[in-house]
Amino acid sequence: MAYLSVAVPVPLRQLFTYTHSTPLEAGVRVQVPFGPRKLVGVVIDVIDEDSHEIENVKKLKSVEAVIDEYPIVDAVLLKMAQWLWQYYHHAPGEVLHAMLPVLLRKGEKAQLVPEERVRLTPVGEQSQSNTLSRAPKQKAFFEALQTSSLSAQQSRKLYGAPAVKAVIDKSLAEIVEVVPELIPKGWLSTMKVAQKPTPDTEQSVAIAALNRQQGNFAISLLEGVTGSGKTEVYLQAIEPLLAAGKQILILVPEIGLTPQTVSRFEKRFNIDVGVLHSQLSDKARLRVWQRARAGELGIIIGTRSAIFTPLKTPGMIIVDEEHDESFKQQDGLRYHARDLAAMRAKQHSIPLLLGSATPALESLNNALSGRYAHLHLTRRAGGAQHTQLHVLDAREQPLHYGISQALLTIMRQHINAGNQVLVFVNRRGYAPALLCHHCGETVMCKRCDRPYTVHKSQNRLQCHHCAGTRVMPRQCEACHSSTLVTAGTGTEQVEDGLMSLFPDAKQVRIDSDTVRGKDKLHSTLDAINRQEYQLLVGTQILSKGHHFPHVTLVAVLDCDGALFSADFRAPEKLAQLVTQLAGRAGRAAKPGEMWLQTHNPHHPLLQDLVNNGYGHFARHALTERKAARLPPYISQFVVRCESIDSAQAFSFLQGCRGVFTSYSNELEMNGPFPSLIEKRQGRFRFMLICSHQKRAPLHEALRQSLPFLQSLNQASKVRWSVDIDPTDFS
């Protein structure tokens, strides 16, 4: 009889012991009984029969089924999982659950399943394509089959389902089920490096430094201004690794950046690139996971969760736009993919490259203190000039749809010159509020106590915090007046206004309302680069990593809100956003400029950014953080709590504070106090922030205190969670 330690996907911070007739390897999935349910767990270890860990042997349940013949979670990923649940104080079963593709969580086989492929029949092999000359799509499909068989799904996508069916009906082709063969280092057979630009001096230094790190663990921060050619450094640094049969894992912050990044890497190396993001089907994600694990894919590009992808021959991990907040998971297992990448690179003894024009203060501090190698790119590629930043004083100026007259004049000059203008509005919808012009009553979402956002095109109001919607009211609910007016400006309103102000300029709006659907964003970005549009109106979707060679002006309509936020990270986030937006202009031969429209033109943050740039701002911000005893000079965790009863949530966190105080008087605690968004989806939200100068005592205090927190009277009556190294206090 063997005793197995199993991670079961339940929200309990412990492993569970089961019995089995024979020992099983760590990393194998098993089906186990858990109360009335049957769950898929992962074997973590075999427990020695004489171990003190085994209690109540007679009550132990046995494994019902062994799903895998061989471990599907390798030793490195198992060690990473263990670090994850210890560092983030999370349930081990939920950690392993998050690391696996959805189909594997459900118990599907990890081996490849047969897929439908189309091949020529004996009749087809003897036929000529000119017999299909009157059907161009059928002819093209038939000629493709003469080279090799094709996936049925890919065939229908490329040539259309009717053409595929017609060729099959004519007995020229047939569909067969084939188990795909996975070939380790399969990309080497097709890899062919395309013509590449000659790197400048700074790029050459960065590439040489990265080449020296091959085969060893090292972390490098590539701090390069927008448009300086960071991607070219990535491409040339990984070339020798790919040629040596090593795999590269690249993390990008947004799905929107994936297509253009994938396209660039595929064109350079002429190889298949594995793609992982939330819009893929479960089958497609599993297929990439299988190919990466077998070592068939040389490059895997994905968003946050791609960090869990198994690699057979890892060579390097790259985190592009490493400062981006989307690398931090904000619910469930609240991990940071950048930190996890560092942990994984250390396990594999491979280099990690962090790239950004606006590095996070944590990363910059590590680079300045010598813990990371610090690589610089200070010049834009191809001799492009740096974007000129200006502050536009909007005080006492008439505003047209949120745009001052002076800014309209500047926009008109750029449009008349045949260039593109990007207008940034950090709020989708028509207006952020609807109110009564007679009594001043604002239409509020009762579940969140926040104003509804007006979506005029849909004739609806929507809450952007809980996604609740309602029909646009015709009269005020308080005084029954019919004089309802909007307050504030959103992307819809700016789009409508620019249509009347610039009737001859074609425009496009890009926000999460307009780019829904597969490939919609990618096709819109392609149209922008073909100069089909002169005016681009958008939210933060447009700020990250996109290359717009014809944009010469970026106009930011309102940056005042972030200047006075209660979040100590708000200045950093605003500085990153402004710098990234500025990088969308003047990326080619045409010089670019950026105008920040504000009612606070003399604010020190804006003046520092405009006159000295992000690098100076970030180093000054680090000095301020150190004086204020804030991250990265201290460590933090937040206990969050929410309940339909605000007193209950507050009381629970007071109890938590008492537990921490009794354990250690060295912890610095702030709270309990309301979150920046106090009410969401009908629940009141509070937080308790705990800090310590050193990470180890902070985590030890939390580890010792967790059992007592779970035993508090209110613990089962409220929703609560622990967030290690928090980045968001909303």
Side-chain angles (χ1 to χ4, degrees), residues 671-720:
F673 52 75
S675 301
L676 294 181
I677 300 175
E678 183 177 353
K679 190 180 179 186
R680 179 182 281 171
Q681 296 181 341
R683 292 178 172 272
F684 293 93
R685 308 158 73 244
F686 290 81
M687 64 172 70
L688 173 67
I689 302 176
C690 301
S691 311
H692 197 284
Q693 278 193 306
K694 295 182 179 177
R695 183 174 281 117
L698 185 76
H699 282 259
E700 182 60 20
L702 179 57
R703 188 182 67 80
Q704 296 280 3
S705 301
L706 273 171
F708 298 100
L709 301 188
Q710 291 166 344
S711 64
L712 290 172
N713 289 334
Q714 298 93 342
S716 60
K717 300 173 185 175
V718 297
R719 288 183 189 170
W720 64 281

Side-chain angles (χ1 to χ4, degrees), residues 387-394 397 403-404 406-411 413-414 421-424 552-559 578 581-582 585 592-598 606 610:
T387 302
Q388 298 297 311
L389 271 67
H390 308 279
V391 173
L392 193 151
D393 187 353
Q397 282 206 42
I403 310 173
S404 65
L407 187 55
L408 285 172
T409 303
I410 297 167
M411 290 169 62
Q413 290 170 354
H414 283 263
V421 173
L422 192 160
V423 181
F424 176 78
T552 56
L553 171 66
V554 175
V556 179
L557 294 196
D558 182 19
C559 57
V578 167
L581 280 166
E593 62 177 337
M594 178 183 199
W595 285 85
L596 298 165
Q597 180 178 287
T598 175
L606 295 181
V610 168

